[in-house]
Amino acid sequence: MGNIINKINESLRRFPEIRKFAKGIYQVIGWSLSDKKTENSNIICISDSRYEHLFGYYDKSPWNKECTKMIYLRTENANREVAPSKQALIILKDLEKNEETIIGSTYAWNVQQGCMLQWLGPEMNKKIIYNDFRNGEFCSVILDIETGTEKVLPIAVYSVDKNGEYALSLDFSRLHNLRPGYGYSNTNKDTVDEKCPNSTCIWRMNINTGEVKGLLTYKQLMDFESREEMNGAIHKVNHIMINPEGKRFMVLHRWIKNGKKYTRLLTVDIDGENVYNLMDEDMISHCNWKNNREILAWAHTHSHGNKYYLLTDQTQKREIFAEGILNRDGHPSYSPDNKYVITDTYPNFKCKQNLYLCSADGENVKEIAEVYSSLRYNNENRCDLHPRFSPDGRYICFDGAINKLRQVYVLKVFD
């Protein structure tokens, strides 16, 4: 049944309105047949259930280093708009006192990745960094949660190195227009109407000085090991992730031509040099660094199809991960000790999402929760779980739409 649905879905990609209508009918039928239950009594809602909350993406953690505090957003309209222009409040949760405090706000956020809210290294305890829209421009803000003092930086951040020394950024306006739910809607930039701009697509910023340097342009990416399908296509970049030691980063280079989407995974030195085409077989979805050299990715290969693959940077070495066990796209993260992987799935026919805990070798996979996802949050406004480990590796946190409002949940996985 799943293969039939996938084939129908693929055949309708060139007819987006028909595809959206058919998908809506499919979702309503599944919702009506669902028991609408979440099968794990140990799941705890951390956020105030009177309001709507989310944290963001799976490559960041809402916990401080000591696991005594958490940060997340209090939002509105996250079931109707993918990147609302209305402000979201930044919440600090004191876990020892069980108290929430509003410590700031942002106008630059979306339903999938929030405002890139995260603890700033190397302490990961006293300062946070997040994106905002001020005076008609995107920026990032460092907030000292003890003193309330702010430091405003000239561009929004996408990925921040663990030592808090620099960050990488991209064009959030272009991303919003080409991939709703992942960029920001506040303003349109000059590249909106260009298919492959000869302008910067990735920037590096020194967090201490605020100095910004352009690393790569869209045209440079298109010209690098170019493919015929790139000519006349619309180009974008997304999902920048810096490796643990801060010397290289990965980025997804995506292009769309005649309604068909292509993606390849590139890795690059932190100064923009030594670009490497790590995987280029049309589809790469979600990735994460295992260590400084290895990347776990849900991707397609012409020889083995869609699977999780463990890749080695700057080589063509590929190992299938959890073959025959994990067969659906998800958002993978490694535990702090690199012994485990946590990942999830998108909602199935009956609006259920699964959480899986895996050994790092992929040999042992355990379903630890089946989470109901309200049909109130669907399509581009869907609530992906985006599971992340706590710094001590004992808990995972995820965003969920189990009840009426999107909330932040915690599940203990190890004693």
Side-chain angles (χ1 to χ4, degrees), residues 214-233:
L215 297 184
L216 293 163
T217 68
Y218 295 99
K219 190 173 187 307
Q220 281 179 309
L221 293 188
M222 187 184 78
D223 290 342
F224 174 73
E225 297 187 11
S226 189
R227 294 173 48 176
E228 175 61 32
E229 298 90 347
M230 294 181 185
N231 295 324

Side-chain angles (χ1 to χ4, degrees), residues 300-315:
H300 172 84
T301 63
H302 300 316
S303 57
H304 293 91
N306 294 350
K307 297 180 185 297
Y308 276 107
Y309 295 90
L310 187 63
L311 315 174
T312 301
D313 190 18
Q314 294 181 292
T315 76

Side-chain angles (χ1 to χ4, degrees), residues 374-398:
S374 170
L375 198 59
R376 187 170 186 257
Y377 299 90
N378 59 21
N379 300 320
E380 292 169 344
N381 291 87
R382 68 188 181 277
C383 184
D384 295 344
L385 299 180
H386 295 155
R388 325 105 185 155
F389 275 100
S390 60
D392 61 9
R394 298 173 60 204
Y395 298 86
I396 62 163
C397 167
F398 64 90

Side-chain angles (χ1 to χ4, degrees), residues 81-93:
E81 299 178 56
V82 296
S85 57
K86 188 173 182 178
Q87 74 171 353
L89 302 177
I90 298 172
I91 303 297
L92 175 70
K93 177 68 175 275

Side-chain angles (χ1 to χ4, degrees), residues 12-13 59 122 150 166 220 233 272 298 335 379 412:
L12 291 176
R13 281 193 179 276
D59 62 329
E150 289 185 345
Y166 65 87
Q220 281 179 309
W298 177 263
S335 60
N379 300 320
K412 190 174 184 179

Side-chain angles (χ1 to χ4, degrees), residues 252-383:
L252 296 186
H253 173 208
R254 289 179 163 161
W255 63 99
I256 307 165
K257 187 172 184 179
N258 298 326
K260 185 174 180 180
K261 300 178 181 179
Y262 302 85
T263 305
R264 64 178 177 175
L265 175 61
L266 305 177
T267 56
V268 191
D269 282 353
I270 207 65
D271 59 2
E273 301 295 325
N274 295 318
V275 181
Y276 187 82
N277 190 354
L278 188 60
M279 206 168 198
D280 189 6
E281 297 186 48
D282 296 347
M283 193 282 287
I284 306 281
S285 183
H286 303 100
C287 313
N288 218 327
W289 291 96
K290 178 181 181 181
N291 48 48
N292 294 320
R293 291 277 292 160
E294 295 177 296
I295 294 171
L296 183 62
W298 177 263
H300 172 84
T301 63
H302 300 316
S303 57
H304 293 91
N306 294 350
K307 297 180 185 297
Y308 276 107
Y309 295 90
L310 187 63
L311 315 174
T312 301
D313 190 18
Q314 294 181 292
T315 76
Q316 288 300 297
K317 181 181 178 182
R318 300 170 181 178
E319 299 175 15
I320 297 175
F321 179 84
E323 184 173 16
I325 307 174
L326 293 178
N327 55 14
R328 287 191 286 166
D329 188 7
H331 305 88
S333 295
Y334 281 89
S335 60
D337 60 7
N338 264 14
K339 293 182 178 180
Y340 298 94
V341 173
I342 188 73
T343 191
D344 60 348
T345 64
Y346 290 101
N348 62 17
F349 178 58
K350 294 187 178 181
C351 305
K352 297 294 186 73
Q353 298 165 278
N354 302 104
L355 283 170
Y356 292 103
L357 183 67
C358 323
S359 58
D361 60 10
E363 295 297 321
N364 299 301
V365 178
K366 178 184 178 181
E367 180 185 305
I368 59 172
E370 184 179 62
V371 181
Y372 170 68
S373 182
S374 170
L375 198 59
R376 187 170 186 257
Y377 299 90
N378 59 21
N379 300 320
E380 292 169 344
N381 291 87
R382 68 188 181 277
C383 184

